[in-house]
Amino acid sequence: MGQHFLVDQNIARKIVEQLSPDVESVVEVGAGMGVLTQYMVDDIRDKFYVIEIDHESIDYLRAHFPTLGDHLVEGDFLKADLSRYGQKNMAIIGNFPYNISSQIFFQVLKYKEQVVEVVGMVQKEMAERMASREGSKTYGILSVLMQAWYDIEYCFTVNENVFNPPPKVKSAVIKMRRNAVTDLGCDEQLFVTIVKQSFNQRRKTLRNSLRTLLNPEIIGNEVFDKRPEQLSVKEFIALTNQIAASHVSP
Ligand code: SAH
């Protein structure tokens, strides 16, 4: 399945140590052979859940961690109803399957009212993208959409040789904490559309890439001379409000 299993116990422990003690439930995504699981299963058993898609891994985990019981869930994290594992202050943790890490973050966004923290290992490039600020080449859709709701911290880089088999890329651990924002102050759906549509043609000016959304009153505004990587989260929110206002008939 192209998965890379962490074999370095110190790093496994260090990842689990990033979890904040105040979380009320913890969901591990893709436990594999349980290298992270082993450091949580005893300490936080009542509030700990594992979601793993692979049947063989499930058999292995059931045999090695019998106390998990029905907290071991066979299924797809991307389709999981996270409200079954806690109503608030939930943490998501895992050495994420890299091919679906963006989708994992979109699933987190869907449950942002519950998910207060994410501790995850991802490709180094992905970690950098998530944490990068406007003006940076790596600033993109996920940076804006995640930073709107989470404070993102790049914790540490992880070398290829601590995995079996070693991946071709470097990895990194990131930690995300829900910020204090409860309302973006704009139409959230339109915000997402605008962010995605701008970055899908990141070298073009906003005037070009957002043309379908801009009516004549505002199309000349200076902000549309910019390119998406120049806009902070706040500026994307302001832009969303500008566009929304121009669509309301007087
Ligand atoms: N945590 C382990 C395994 C990491 S490999 C370790 O660090 O060694 C990624 C794991 O995610 C694999 O066990 C794979 O079966 C699982 N996985 C892949 N896609 C998944 C999905 N959609 N939902 C849940 N688990 C998934």
Side-chain angles (χ1 to χ4, degrees):
M1 284 186 68
Q3 305 296 355
H4 302 278
F5 296 94
L6 181 62
V7 290
D8 185 314
Q9 300 299 323
N10 286 325
I11 291 183
R13 201 176 305 118
K14 227 170 112 184
I15 294 173
V16 174
E17 278 168 6
Q18 306 296 318
L19 278 178
S20 304
D22 65 341
V23 298
E24 288 173 45
S25 68
V26 176
V27 176
E28 185 184 356
V29 181
M33 317 257 277
V35 67
L36 301 178
T37 317
Q38 62 180 330
Y39 295 113
M40 294 181 277
V41 68
D42 297 324
D43 291 355
I44 55 171
R45 186 155 68 101
D46 294 343
K47 57 173 186 177
F48 178 55
Y49 298 85
V50 171
I51 302 179
E52 168 61 63
I53 202 169
D54 178 57
H55 189 69
E56 271 178 50
S57 301
I58 286 283
D59 283 345
Y60 178 93
L61 293 162
R62 193 175 289 129
H64 285 78
F65 305 102
T67 54
L68 272 175
D70 62 359
H71 284 208
L72 175 61
V73 179
E74 180 168 1
D76 182 349
F77 175 76
L78 301 178
K79 297 192 185 130
D81 173 6
L82 296 186
S83 62
R84 295 170 65 167
Y85 312 113
Q87 297 305 315
K88 60 182 173 58
N89 288 330
M90 175 186 289
I92 306 294
I93 189 168
N95 167 14
F96 295 148
Y98 292 176
N99 54 330
I100 58 163
S101 46
S102 305
Q103 293 167 72
I104 288 175
F105 294 120
F106 282 112
Q107 169 79 333
V108 165
L109 274 182
K110 206 170 132 192
Y111 287 94
K112 61 182 184 297
E113 305 316 329
Q114 271 136 281
V115 178
V116 70
E117 182 168 290
V118 180
V119 173
M121 181 133 63
V122 294
Q123 269 190 38
K124 184 166 185 278
E125 285 71 21
M126 168 68 81
E128 284 165 350
R129 241 186 290 154
M130 304 278 292
S132 75
R133 294 303 172 140
E134 65 269 22
S136 154
K137 267 195 188 141
T138 55
Y139 185 65
I141 294 174
L142 268 179
S143 334
V144 178
L145 298 184
M146 296 309 292
Q147 287 172 29
W149 302 102
Y150 290 87
D151 296 327
I152 299 169
E153 180 193 346
Y154 184 103
C155 302
F156 53 90
T157 305
V158 180
N159 284 326
E160 303 86 314
N161 58 6
V162 302
F163 296 93
N164 184 22
K168 289 199 180 68
V169 293
K170 284 207 191 314
S171 303
V173 174
I174 54 166
K175 178 170 179 172
M176 318 191 326
R177 275 297 285 194
R178 188 72 168 79
N179 61 23
V181 173
T182 52
D183 180 347
L184 275 193
C186 69
D187 177 331
E188 284 178 25
Q189 236 174 326
L190 184 61
F191 173 78
V192 174
T193 303
I194 287 172
V195 172
K196 287 185 175 170
Q197 197 167 322
S198 327
F199 280 106
N200 280 341
Q201 296 174 288
R202 65 178 296 139
R203 270 177 288 275
K204 293 200 173 169
T205 63
L206 295 169
R207 184 170 297 108
N208 252 309
S209 48
L210 297 178
R211 188 167 294 277
T212 55
L213 295 170
L214 305 181
N215 61 28
E217 287 158 54
I218 62 168
I219 199 157
N221 292 2
E222 227 172 274
V223 65
F224 300 114
D225 294 335
K226 295 193 176 183
R227 291 178 170 71
E229 70 262 24
Q230 293 174 276
L231 263 56
S232 67
V233 174
K234 276 204 176 114
E235 288 170 311
F236 268 112
I237 292 170
L239 189 77
T240 304
N241 283 328
Q242 219 182 102
I243 291 175
S246 76
H247 285 270
V248 178
S249 39

mmCIF file with all atom_site columns, all heavy atoms in Angstrom, residues 20-40:
data_model
loop_
_atom_site.group_PDB
_atom_site.id
_atom_site.type_symbol
_atom_site.label_atom_id
_atom_site.label_alt_id
_atom_site.label_comp_id
_atom_site.label_asym_id
_atom_site.label_entity_id
_atom_site.label_seq_id
_atom_site.pdbx_PDB_ins_code
_atom_site.Cartn_x
_atom_site.Cartn_y
_atom_site.Cartn_z
_atom_site.occupancy
_atom_site.B_iso_or_equiv
_atom_site.pdbx_formal_charge
_atom_site.auth_seq_id
_atom_site.auth_comp_id
_atom_site.auth_asym_id
_atom_site.auth_atom_id
_atom_site.pdbx_PDB_model_num
ATOM 1   N N   . SER A 1 20 ? -1.375  17.693 23.892 1.00 0.00 ? 20 SER A N   1
ATOM 2   C CA  . SER A 1 20 ? -1.622  18.493 25.093 1.00 0.00 ? 20 SER A CA  1
ATOM 3   C C   . SER A 1 20 ? -2.446  17.684 26.088 1.00 0.00 ? 20 SER A C   1
ATOM 4   O O   . SER A 1 20 ? -3.340  16.948 25.696 1.00 0.00 ? 20 SER A O   1
ATOM 5   C CB  . SER A 1 20 ? -2.390  19.757 24.722 1.00 0.00 ? 20 SER A CB  1
ATOM 6   O OG  . SER A 1 20 ? -1.684  20.456 23.738 1.00 0.00 ? 20 SER A OG  1
ATOM 7   N N   . PRO A 1 21 ? -2.149  17.850 27.370 1.00 0.00 ? 21 PRO A N   1
ATOM 8   C CA  . PRO A 1 21 ? -2.850  17.054 28.387 1.00 0.00 ? 21 PRO A CA  1
ATOM 9   C C   . PRO A 1 21 ? -4.333  17.411 28.523 1.00 0.00 ? 21 PRO A C   1
ATOM 10  O O   . PRO A 1 21 ? -5.107  16.618 29.030 1.00 0.00 ? 21 PRO A O   1
ATOM 11  C CB  . PRO A 1 21 ? -2.096  17.370 29.681 1.00 0.00 ? 21 PRO A CB  1
ATOM 12  C CG  . PRO A 1 21 ? -1.249  18.563 29.391 1.00 0.00 ? 21 PRO A CG  1
ATOM 13  C CD  . PRO A 1 21 ? -1.077  18.669 27.923 1.00 0.00 ? 21 PRO A CD  1
ATOM 14  N N   . ASP A 1 22 ? -4.706  18.578 28.033 1.00 0.00 ? 22 ASP A N   1
ATOM 15  C CA  . ASP A 1 22 ? -6.097  19.009 28.250 1.00 0.00 ? 22 ASP A CA  1
ATOM 16  C C   . ASP A 1 22 ? -7.096  18.444 27.247 1.00 0.00 ? 22 ASP A C   1
ATOM 17  O O   . ASP A 1 22 ? -8.290  18.712 27.354 1.00 0.00 ? 22 ASP A O   1
ATOM 18  C CB  . ASP A 1 22 ? -6.165  20.546 28.250 1.00 0.00 ? 22 ASP A CB  1
ATOM 19  C CG  . ASP A 1 22 ? -5.793  21.134 26.886 1.00 0.00 ? 22 ASP A CG  1
ATOM 20  O OD1 . ASP A 1 22 ? -5.160  20.419 26.076 1.00 0.00 ? 22 ASP A OD1 1
ATOM 21  O OD2 . ASP A 1 22 ? -6.123  22.300 26.639 1.00 0.00 ? 22 ASP A OD2 1
ATOM 22  N N   . VAL A 1 23 ? -6.656  17.669 26.271 1.00 0.00 ? 23 VAL A N   1
ATOM 23  C CA  . VAL A 1 23 ? -7.624  17.181 25.285 1.00 0.00 ? 23 VAL A CA  1
ATOM 24  C C   . VAL A 1 23 ? -8.532  16.116 25.901 1.00 0.00 ? 23 VAL A C   1
ATOM 25  O O   . VAL A 1 23 ? -8.118  15.360 26.778 1.00 0.00 ? 23 VAL A O   1
ATOM 26  C CB  . VAL A 1 23 ? -6.936  16.644 24.001 1.00 0.00 ? 23 VAL A CB  1
ATOM 27  C CG1 . VAL A 1 23 ? -6.167  17.754 23.313 1.00 0.00 ? 23 VAL A CG1 1
ATOM 28  C CG2 . VAL A 1 23 ? -6.036  15.455 24.297 1.00 0.00 ? 23 VAL A CG2 1
ATOM 29  N N   . GLU A 1 24 ? -9.785  16.101 25.435 1.00 0.00 ? 24 GLU A N   1
ATOM 30  C CA  . GLU A 1 24 ? -10.762 15.202 26.062 1.00 0.00 ? 24 GLU A CA  1
ATOM 31  C C   . GLU A 1 24 ? -10.925 13.888 25.325 1.00 0.00 ? 24 GLU A C   1
ATOM 32  O O   . GLU A 1 24 ? -11.472 12.933 25.873 1.00 0.00 ? 24 GLU A O   1
ATOM 33  C CB  . GLU A 1 24 ? -12.111 15.918 26.188 1.00 0.00 ? 24 GLU A CB  1
ATOM 34  C CG  . GLU A 1 24 ? -12.057 16.995 27.261 1.00 0.00 ? 24 GLU A CG  1
ATOM 35  C CD  . GLU A 1 24 ? -13.321 17.837 27.307 1.00 0.00 ? 24 GLU A CD  1
ATOM 36  O OE1 . GLU A 1 24 ? -14.421 17.282 27.263 1.00 0.00 ? 24 GLU A OE1 1
ATOM 37  O OE2 . GLU A 1 24 ? -13.174 19.074 27.374 1.00 0.00 ? 24 GLU A OE2 1
ATOM 38  N N   . SER A 1 25 ? -10.487 13.837 24.067 1.00 0.00 ? 25 SER A N   1
ATOM 39  C CA  . SER A 1 25 ? -10.410 12.549 23.383 1.00 0.00 ? 25 SER A CA  1
ATOM 40  C C   . SER A 1 25 ? -9.319  12.617 22.328 1.00 0.00 ? 25 SER A C   1
ATOM 41  O O   . SER A 1 25 ? -8.947  13.703 21.882 1.00 0.00 ? 25 SER A O   1
ATOM 42  C CB  . SER A 1 25 ? -11.751 12.144 22.773 1.00 0.00 ? 25 SER A CB  1
ATOM 43  O OG  . SER A 1 25 ? -12.077 12.994 21.714 1.00 0.00 ? 25 SER A OG  1
ATOM 44  N N   . VAL A 1 26 ? -8.785  11.440 22.000 1.00 0.00 ? 26 VAL A N   1
ATOM 45  C CA  . VAL A 1 26 ? -7.685  11.357 21.040 1.00 0.00 ? 26 VAL A CA  1
ATOM 46  C C   . VAL A 1 26 ? -8.034  10.293 20.009 1.00 0.00 ? 26 VAL A C   1
ATOM 47  O O   . VAL A 1 26 ? -8.384  9.166  20.373 1.00 0.00 ? 26 VAL A O   1
ATOM 48  C CB  . VAL A 1 26 ? -6.363  10.968 21.744 1.00 0.00 ? 26 VAL A CB  1
ATOM 49  C CG1 . VAL A 1 26 ? -5.244  10.794 20.720 1.00 0.00 ? 26 VAL A CG1 1
ATOM 50  C CG2 . VAL A 1 26 ? -5.962  12.014 22.784 1.00 0.00 ? 26 VAL A CG2 1
ATOM 51  N N   . VAL A 1 27 ? -7.956  10.664 18.734 1.00 0.00 ? 27 VAL A N   1
ATOM 52  C CA  . VAL A 1 27 ? -8.208  9.706  17.663 1.00 0.00 ? 27 VAL A CA  1
ATOM 53  C C   . VAL A 1 27 ? -6.922  9.526  16.872 1.00 0.00 ? 27 VAL A C   1
ATOM 54  O O   . VAL A 1 27 ? -6.379  10.491 16.332 1.00 0.00 ? 27 VAL A O   1
ATOM 55  C CB  . VAL A 1 27 ? -9.338  10.196 16.723 1.00 0.00 ? 27 VAL A CB  1
ATOM 56  C CG1 . VAL A 1 27 ? -9.513  9.236  15.551 1.00 0.00 ? 27 VAL A CG1 1
ATOM 57  C CG2 . VAL A 1 27 ? -10.644 10.359 17.491 1.00 0.00 ? 27 VAL A CG2 1
ATOM 58  N N   . GLU A 1 28 ? -6.427  8.296  16.830 1.00 0.00 ? 28 GLU A N   1
ATOM 59  C CA  . GLU A 1 28 ? -5.240  8.025  16.017 1.00 0.00 ? 28 GLU A CA  1
ATOM 60  C C   . GLU A 1 28 ? -5.667  7.557  14.629 1.00 0.00 ? 28 GLU A C   1
ATOM 61  O O   . GLU A 1 28 ? -6.498  6.664  14.484 1.00 0.00 ? 28 GLU A O   1
ATOM 62  C CB  . GLU A 1 28 ? -4.343  6.960  16.667 1.00 0.00 ? 28 GLU A CB  1
ATOM 63  C CG  . GLU A 1 28 ? -3.066  6.794  15.845 1.00 0.00 ? 28 GLU A CG  1
ATOM 64  C CD  . GLU A 1 28 ? -2.116  5.696  16.327 1.00 0.00 ? 28 GLU A CD  1
ATOM 65  O OE1 . GLU A 1 28 ? -2.365  5.057  17.365 1.00 0.00 ? 28 GLU A OE1 1
ATOM 66  O OE2 . GLU A 1 28 ? -1.114  5.484  15.615 1.00 0.00 ? 28 GLU A OE2 1
ATOM 67  N N   . VAL A 1 29 ? -5.080  8.179  13.615 1.00 0.00 ? 29 VAL A N   1
ATOM 68  C CA  . VAL A 1 29 ? -5.369  7.815  12.225 1.00 0.00 ? 29 VAL A CA  1
ATOM 69  C C   . VAL A 1 29 ? -4.314  6.844  11.746 1.00 0.00 ? 29 VAL A C   1
ATOM 70  O O   . VAL A 1 29 ? -3.130  7.158  11.771 1.00 0.00 ? 29 VAL A O   1
ATOM 71  C CB  . VAL A 1 29 ? -5.323  9.061  11.310 1.00 0.00 ? 29 VAL A CB  1
ATOM 72  C CG1 . VAL A 1 29 ? -5.654  8.679  9.878  1.00 0.00 ? 29 VAL A CG1 1
ATOM 73  C CG2 . VAL A 1 29 ? -6.236  10.148 11.821 1.00 0.00 ? 29 VAL A CG2 1
ATOM 74  N N   . GLY A 1 30 ? -4.710  5.655  11.302 1.00 0.00 ? 30 GLY A N   1
ATOM 75  C CA  . GLY A 1 30 ? -3.768  4.725  10.684 1.00 0.00 ? 30 GLY A CA  1
ATOM 76  C C   . GLY A 1 30 ? -2.672  4.278  11.630 1.00 0.00 ? 30 GLY A C   1
ATOM 77  O O   . GLY A 1 30 ? -1.537  4.734  11.557 1.00 0.00 ? 30 GLY A O   1
ATOM 78  N N   . ALA A 1 31 ? -3.001  3.352  12.514 1.00 0.00 ? 31 ALA A N   1
ATOM 79  C CA  . ALA A 1 31 ? -2.044  2.958  13.549 1.00 0.00 ? 31 ALA A CA  1
ATOM 80  C C   . ALA A 1 31 ? -1.021  1.938  13.060 1.00 0.00 ? 31 ALA A C   1
ATOM 81  O O   . ALA A 1 31 ? 0.020   1.754  13.682 1.00 0.00 ? 31 ALA A O   1
ATOM 82  C CB  . ALA A 1 31 ? -2.792  2.402  14.758 1.00 0.00 ? 31 ALA A CB  1
ATOM 83  N N   . GLY A 1 32 ? -1.313  1.262  11.955 1.00 0.00 ? 32 GLY A N   1
ATOM 84  C CA  . GLY A 1 32 ? -0.354  0.285  11.423 1.00 0.00 ? 32 GLY A CA  1
ATOM 85  C C   . GLY A 1 32 ? -0.043  -0.796 12.433 1.00 0.00 ? 32 GLY A C   1
ATOM 86  O O   . GLY A 1 32 ? -0.914  -1.546 12.864 1.00 0.00 ? 32 GLY A O   1
ATOM 87  N N   . MET A 1 33 ? 1.227   -0.876 12.837 1.00 0.00 ? 33 MET A N   1
ATOM 88  C CA  . MET A 1 33 ? 1.629   -1.877 13.834 1.00 0.00 ? 33 MET A CA  1
ATOM 89  C C   . MET A 1 33 ? 1.655   -1.276 15.238 1.00 0.00 ? 33 MET A C   1
ATOM 90  O O   . MET A 1 33 ? 2.221   -1.885 16.161 1.00 0.00 ? 33 MET A O   1
ATOM 91  C CB  . MET A 1 33 ? 3.010   -2.418 13.494 1.00 0.00 ? 33 MET A CB  1
ATOM 92  C CG  . MET A 1 33 ? 3.183   -2.690 12.019 1.00 0.00 ? 33 MET A CG  1
ATOM 93  S SD  . MET A 1 33 ? 3.058   -4.426 11.653 1.00 0.00 ? 33 MET A SD  1
ATOM 94  C CE  . MET A 1 33 ? 4.719   -4.929 12.042 1.00 0.00 ? 33 MET A CE  1
ATOM 95  N N   . GLY A 1 34 ? 1.130   -0.094 15.380 1.00 0.00 ? 34 GLY A N   1
ATOM 96  C CA  . GLY A 1 34 ? 0.915   0.452  16.714 1.00 0.00 ? 34 GLY A CA  1
ATOM 97  C C   . GLY A 1 34 ? 2.091   1.146  17.373 1.00 0.00 ? 34 GLY A C   1
ATOM 98  O O   . GLY A 1 34 ? 2.139   1.280  18.587 1.00 0.00 ? 34 GLY A O   1
ATOM 99  N N   . VAL A 1 35 ? 3.046   1.620  16.558 1.00 0.00 ? 35 VAL A N   1
ATOM 100 C CA  . VAL A 1 35 ? 4.243   2.232  17.154 1.00 0.00 ? 35 VAL A CA  1
ATOM 101 C C   . VAL A 1 35 ? 3.891   3.484  17.978 1.00 0.00 ? 35 VAL A C   1
ATOM 102 O O   . VAL A 1 35 ? 4.519   3.745  19.014 1.00 0.00 ? 35 VAL A O   1
ATOM 103 C CB  . VAL A 1 35 ? 5.328   2.505  16.085 1.00 0.00 ? 35 VAL A CB  1
ATOM 104 C CG1 . VAL A 1 35 ? 4.876   3.582  15.108 1.00 0.00 ? 35 VAL A CG1 1
ATOM 105 C CG2 . VAL A 1 35 ? 6.661   2.877  16.714 1.00 0.00 ? 35 VAL A CG2 1
ATOM 106 N N   . LEU A 1 36 ? 2.875   4.217  17.552 1.00 0.00 ? 36 LEU A N   1
ATOM 107 C CA  . LEU A 1 36 ? 2.417   5.358  18.362 1.00 0.00 ? 36 LEU A CA  1
ATOM 108 C C   . LEU A 1 36 ? 1.396   4.887  19.401 1.00 0.00 ? 36 LEU A C   1
ATOM 109 O O   . LEU A 1 36 ? 1.400   5.350  20.551 1.00 0.00 ? 36 LEU A O   1
ATOM 110 C CB  . LEU A 1 36 ? 1.784   6.442  17.470 1.00 0.00 ? 36 LEU A CB  1
ATOM 111 C CG  . LEU A 1 36 ? 2.651   7.060  16.373 1.00 0.00 ? 36 LEU A CG  1
ATOM 112 C CD1 . LEU A 1 36 ? 1.844   8.072  15.563 1.00 0.00 ? 36 LEU A CD1 1
ATOM 113 C CD2 . LEU A 1 36 ? 3.880   7.745  16.979 1.00 0.00 ? 36 LEU A CD2 1
ATOM 114 N N   . THR A 1 37 ? 0.560   3.981  18.967 1.00 0.00 ? 37 THR A N   1
ATOM 115 C CA  . THR A 1 37 ? -0.519  3.447  19.819 1.00 0.00 ? 37 THR A CA  1
ATOM 116 C C   . THR A 1 37 ? -0.001  2.992  21.182 1.00 0.00 ? 37 THR A C   1
ATOM 117 O O   . THR A 1 37 ? -0.631  3.251  22.216 1.00 0.00 ? 37 THR A O   1
ATOM 118 C CB  . THR A 1 37 ? -1.167  2.235  19.107 1.00 0.00 ? 37 THR A CB  1
ATOM 119 O OG1 . THR A 1 37 ? -1.333  2.542  17.726 1.00 0.00 ? 37 THR A OG1 1
ATOM 120 C CG2 . THR A 1 37 ? -2.502  1.867  19.741 1.00 0.00 ? 37 THR A CG2 1
ATOM 121 N N   . GLN A 1 38 ? 1.135   2.313  21.169 1.00 0.00 ? 38 GLN A N   1
ATOM 122 C CA  . GLN A 1 38 ? 1.665   1.723  22.412 1.00 0.00 ? 38 GLN A CA  1
ATOM 123 C C   . GLN A 1 38 ? 1.911   2.775  23.508 1.00 0.00 ? 38 GLN A C   1
ATOM 124 O O   . GLN A 1 38 ? 1.875   2.452  24.686 1.00 0.00 ? 38 GLN A O   1
ATOM 125 C CB  . GLN A 1 38 ? 2.972   0.974  22.122 1.00 0.00 ? 38 GLN A CB  1
ATOM 126 C CG  . GLN A 1 38 ? 4.046   1.902  21.597 1.00 0.00 ? 38 GLN A CG  1
ATOM 127 C CD  . GLN A 1 38 ? 5.370   1.206  21.281 1.00 0.00 ? 38 GLN A CD  1
ATOM 128 O OE1 . GLN A 1 38 ? 5.711   0.213  21.906 1.00 0.00 ? 38 GLN A OE1 1
ATOM 129 N NE2 . GLN A 1 38 ? 6.102   1.738  20.310 1.00 0.00 ? 38 GLN A NE2 1
ATOM 130 N N   . TYR A 1 39 ? 2.144   4.021  23.081 1.00 0.00 ? 39 TYR A N   1
ATOM 131 C CA  . TYR A 1 39 ? 2.413   5.064  24.083 1.00 0.00 ? 39 TYR A CA  1
ATOM 132 C C   . TYR A 1 39 ? 1.146   5.779  24.549 1.00 0.00 ? 39 TYR A C   1
ATOM 133 O O   . TYR A 1 39 ? 1.209   6.694  25.356 1.00 0.00 ? 39 TYR A O   1
ATOM 134 C CB  . TYR A 1 39 ? 3.417   6.082  23.538 1.00 0.00 ? 39 TYR A CB  1
ATOM 135 C CG  . TYR A 1 39 ? 4.775   5.452  23.287 1.00 0.00 ? 39 TYR A CG  1
ATOM 136 C CD1 . TYR A 1 39 ? 5.268   5.324  22.000 1.00 0.00 ? 39 TYR A CD1 1
ATOM 137 C CD2 . TYR A 1 39 ? 5.530   4.955  24.353 1.00 0.00 ? 39 TYR A CD2 1
ATOM 138 C CE1 . TYR A 1 39 ? 6.500   4.725  21.769 1.00 0.00 ? 39 TYR A CE1 1
ATOM 139 C CE2 . TYR A 1 39 ? 6.755   4.352  24.133 1.00 0.00 ? 39 TYR A CE2 1
ATOM 140 C CZ  . TYR A 1 39 ? 7.237   4.240  22.846 1.00 0.00 ? 39 TYR A CZ  1
ATOM 141 O OH  . TYR A 1 39 ? 8.444   3.644  22.626 1.00 0.00 ? 39 TYR A OH  1
ATOM 142 N N   . MET A 1 40 ? 0.010   5.386  24.004 1.00 0.00 ? 40 MET A N   1
ATOM 143 C CA  . MET A 1 40 ? -1.238  6.040  24.415 1.00 0.00 ? 40 MET A CA  1
ATOM 144 C C   . MET A 1 40 ? -2.212  5.067  25.043 1.00 0.00 ? 40 MET A C   1
ATOM 145 O O   . MET A 1 40 ? -3.009  5.441  25.900 1.00 0.00 ? 40 MET A O   1
ATOM 146 C CB  . MET A 1 40 ? -1.895  6.713  23.199 1.00 0.00 ? 40 MET A CB  1
ATOM 147 C CG  . MET A 1 40 ? -1.052  7.863  22.663 1.00 0.00 ? 40 MET A CG  1
ATOM 148 S SD  . MET A 1 40 ? -1.786  8.706  21.250 1.00 0.00 ? 40 MET A SD  1
ATOM 149 C CE  . MET A 1 40 ? -1.292  7.631  19.916 1.00 0.00 ? 40 MET A CE  1
#
